[in-house]
Amino acid sequence: MTDVAPLHAEEQAPLEGVIKGEVLRMYQEVAEHPEGEFHFYHGRQAAEMFGYEREWLDRAPPGAVASFAGVGNPHLRSRLQAGEVVLDLGSGAGLDSIIAGWQVGPTGRVIGVDLNPTMCRKAEAHAAASGVRMACHEGRMEDIPLPDASVDVVISNGVINLSFRKRTVIRELFRLLKPGGRLSITDIVSAKQLSQSIVNDPKLWAS
Amino acid sequence: MFGLLEDAGFKRVRSTIVPGFAFRKESTRDAAEGYGVKAVLLTAQKPTT
């Protein structure tokens, strides 16, 4: 997908706001009503499909597992080490943060960033119940509220595709990683430019 | 996204397709296939200097 949808700037700004609202609504719905039907697989079924270890899913709080809405498994290549600082971009209900926290151990820490403050509080509660040090910040991925060179590893799962400004998001990740820092992200890409009807449909964009 | 990572200055950019990814609803799945939509696992590293 390209960085910015092919719209004039004056058309894009209000649409971006509508899409942000739809993204907030949809993922809050997954968190609050995980038994519902969505465009995407979610919960334990999705996590198992992507190769999450059963031990992780058995050990994590059921609410974190049920609300999982990722598109893959960033832990397969994250190579996390004890003591590292991890950013989970778009931390949602916290399952990926918890798994990362178990890997970096008590000398490491996990920072979540999510658009939705309710999800942040939920992720922190799930992490605390899992023995993981996690602080979640409400924030936009295009303007991440963290200092330069403050993170060893970025993980993210199905989030960056939701942004209208992907180039800005990637620059932010570069800025906040320490020299030698790594990222391991799973996300959705398309081989062809999406049609304007899809770009203009907040529900489709958010899914 | 691969190109965006390289443009930003990341090195050792790698991309692999996530096996098994699909949309649950058939209508969304069909539309996504038409656009070549895939899930990918991307890794990259910020240079040390």
Side-chain angles (χ1 to χ4, degrees):
Chain A
M1 294 181 187
T2 56
D3 183 38
V4 177
L7 287 172
H8 297 298
E10 64 272 19
E11 293 172 304
Q12 184 175 301
L15 184 57
E16 192 172 359
V18 172
I19 284 171
K20 178 183 168 187
E22 183 60 26
V23 168
L24 275 168
R25 190 202 63 74
M26 178 169 289
Y27 289 94
Q28 185 142 349
E29 181 74 11
V30 177
E32 292 179 353
H33 303 287
E35 73 285 359
E37 291 201 349
F38 302 93
H39 285 286
F40 42 83
Y41 291 99
H42 67 286
R44 185 168 186 125
Q45 180 186 17
E48 287 188 349
M49 211 159 71
F50 300 137
Y52 279 62
E53 293 181 19
R54 289 199 171 172
E55 184 212 328
W56 294 342
L57 303 177
D58 291 340
R59 194 174 155 203
V65 178
S67 300
F68 171 77
V71 300
N73 184 349
H75 308 287
L76 289 174
R77 300 277 170 84
S78 60
R79 297 181 290 114
L80 296 177
Q81 305 293 318
E84 287 188 318
V85 178
V86 181
L87 166 64
D88 181 5
L89 183 67
S91 41
L95 180 63
D96 286 320
S97 294
I98 290 166
I99 293 168
W102 287 334
Q103 294 176 71
V104 299
T107 57
R109 64 192 171 99
V110 181
I111 304 164
V113 169
D114 203 282
L115 197 55
N116 186 331
T118 306
M119 295 302 288
C120 263
R121 302 296 79 81
K122 191 169 282 203
E124 286 175 335
H126 286 150
S130 309
V132 166
R133 289 177 63 197
M134 181 211 188
C136 186
H137 303 285
E138 176 190 359
R140 297 166 56 245
M141 58 183 139
E142 297 86 356
D143 186 18
I144 299 170
L146 291 175
D148 295 355
S150 57
V151 167
D152 295 299
V153 181
V154 175
I155 60 170
S156 183
N157 199 346
V159 171
I160 298 172
N161 72 89
L162 299 171
S163 174
F164 252 48
R165 303 174 192 279
K166 297 173 182 61
R167 187 177 297 277
T168 304
V169 176
I170 299 297
R171 284 187 186 142
E172 275 291 88
L173 301 184
F174 191 85
R175 176 187 67 76
L176 57 84
L177 276 168
K178 298 175 185 175
R182 321 180 297 283
L183 60 79
S184 180
I185 58 180
T186 46
D187 222 312
I188 303 293
V189 296
S190 66
K192 298 179 190 170
Q193 178 68 51
L194 299 179
S195 72
Q196 203 62 56
S197 63
I198 291 176
V199 172
N200 288 349
D201 187 331
K203 286 189 191 309
L204 281 177
W205 188 278
S207 69
Chain B
M1 193 119 42
F2 192 102
L4 296 180
L5 289 164
E6 289 188 327
D7 290 350
F10 281 100
K11 302 296 181 193
R12 302 174 67 183
V13 181
R14 303 281 185 273
S15 170
T16 56
I17 292 173
V18 174
F21 171 80
F23 287 99
R24 195 182 59 78
K25 287 193 174 172
E26 195 175 337
S27 57
T28 313
R29 193 160 57 228
D30 290 346
E33 281 178 10
Y35 283 98
V37 171
K38 292 178 170 46
V40 293
L41 170 57
L42 290 152
T43 57
Q45 186 166 30
K46 182 173 177 174
T48 50
T49 54

